[in-house]
């Protein structure tokens, strides 16, 4: 198994552990909604500190339910991942194309003066 394969498998294991460990260890069992986002946590903390707090502005669009909000967030994450994957794929493809072009130029270049043309000397 190559070194890159080992590293990829290790990273995959770490990501899976990060997803499963909070559930297995019961983190958040003491809360009504254990895995709310940071926005909800911040809102709760602010209202505890300052009950009369008035937000400076309201959202432009308020989804009718939490499920729709989750779908929109997932769509946003998928689009962002797609843009990043496209960019890095394009960069890698261009780099490989340049490398192949340089290899073709080196293979097609005539031998330099003083070099032997025949394979046997």
């Amino acid at each position: 198994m190559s070194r890159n394969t080992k590293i990829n498998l290790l990273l995959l294991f770490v990501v899976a552990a990060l997803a499963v460990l909070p559930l297995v260890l019961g983190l958040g069992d003491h809360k009504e909604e254990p895995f709310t986002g940071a926005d909800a946590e911040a809102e709760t903390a602010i209202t505890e500190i300052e009950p009369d707090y008035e937000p400076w502005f309201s959202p432009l669009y308020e989804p009718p339910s939490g499920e729709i909000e989750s779908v929109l967030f997932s769509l946003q994450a998928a689009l962002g991942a797609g843009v990043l994957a496209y960019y890095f794929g394009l960069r890698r493809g261009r780099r490989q194309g340049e490398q192949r072009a340089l290899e073709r130029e080196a293979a097609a270049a005539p031998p330099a003066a003083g070099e032997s043309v025949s394979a046997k000397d």
Side-chain angles (χ1 to χ4, degrees), residues 3 7 9 19 24 30 35 37 41 72 75 81-83 88 103:
R3 183 173 186 263
I7 291 172
L9 287 174
V24 172
H30 61 283
F35 299 107
E41 294 288 330
L72 291 174
L75 180 63
V83 168
F88 286 119
E103 289 172 0

Side-chain angles (χ1 to χ4, degrees), residues 53-67:
Y53 175 76
E54 289 292 324
W56 293 357
F57 56 90
S58 60
L60 297 174
Y61 172 70
E62 187 72 36
S65 69
E67 291 84 9

Side-chain angles (χ1 to χ4, degrees), residues 33 35-37 61-75:
E33 293 182 29
F35 299 107
T36 58
Y61 172 70
E62 187 72 36
S65 69
E67 291 84 9
I68 293 175
E69 187 175 356
S70 294
V71 167
L72 291 174
F73 181 76
S74 299
L75 180 63

Side-chain angles (χ1 to χ4, degrees), residues 106-107 109-121:
E115 287 186 9
S116 175
V117 177
S118 65
K120 295 180 182 179
D121 282 333

Side-chain angles (χ1 to χ4, degrees), residues 8-112:
N8 287 338
L9 287 174
L10 177 66
L11 289 174
L12 185 64
F13 175 75
V14 168
V15 168
L18 285 174
V20 173
L21 279 176
L23 299 172
V24 172
L25 297 176
L27 300 177
D29 284 347
H30 61 283
K31 296 181 180 180
E32 186 177 321
E33 293 182 29
F35 299 107
T36 58
D39 292 344
E41 294 288 330
E43 184 179 347
T44 303
I46 289 170
T47 53
E48 286 176 5
I49 294 170
E50 184 66 41
D52 297 331
Y53 175 76
E54 289 292 324
W56 293 357
F57 56 90
S58 60
L60 297 174
Y61 172 70
E62 187 72 36
S65 69
E67 291 84 9
I68 293 175
E69 187 175 356
S70 294
V71 167
L72 291 174
F73 181 76
S74 299
L75 180 63
Q76 177 186 359
L79 285 172
V83 168
L84 285 175
Y86 175 77
Y87 171 74
F88 286 119
L90 185 67
R91 260 186 62 195
R92 182 174 181 175
R94 284 184 179 171
R95 187 172 54 240
Q96 287 176 346
E98 289 173 0
Q99 185 177 11
R100 287 181 187 150
L102 290 174
E103 289 172 0
R104 277 191 222 122
E105 286 178 11

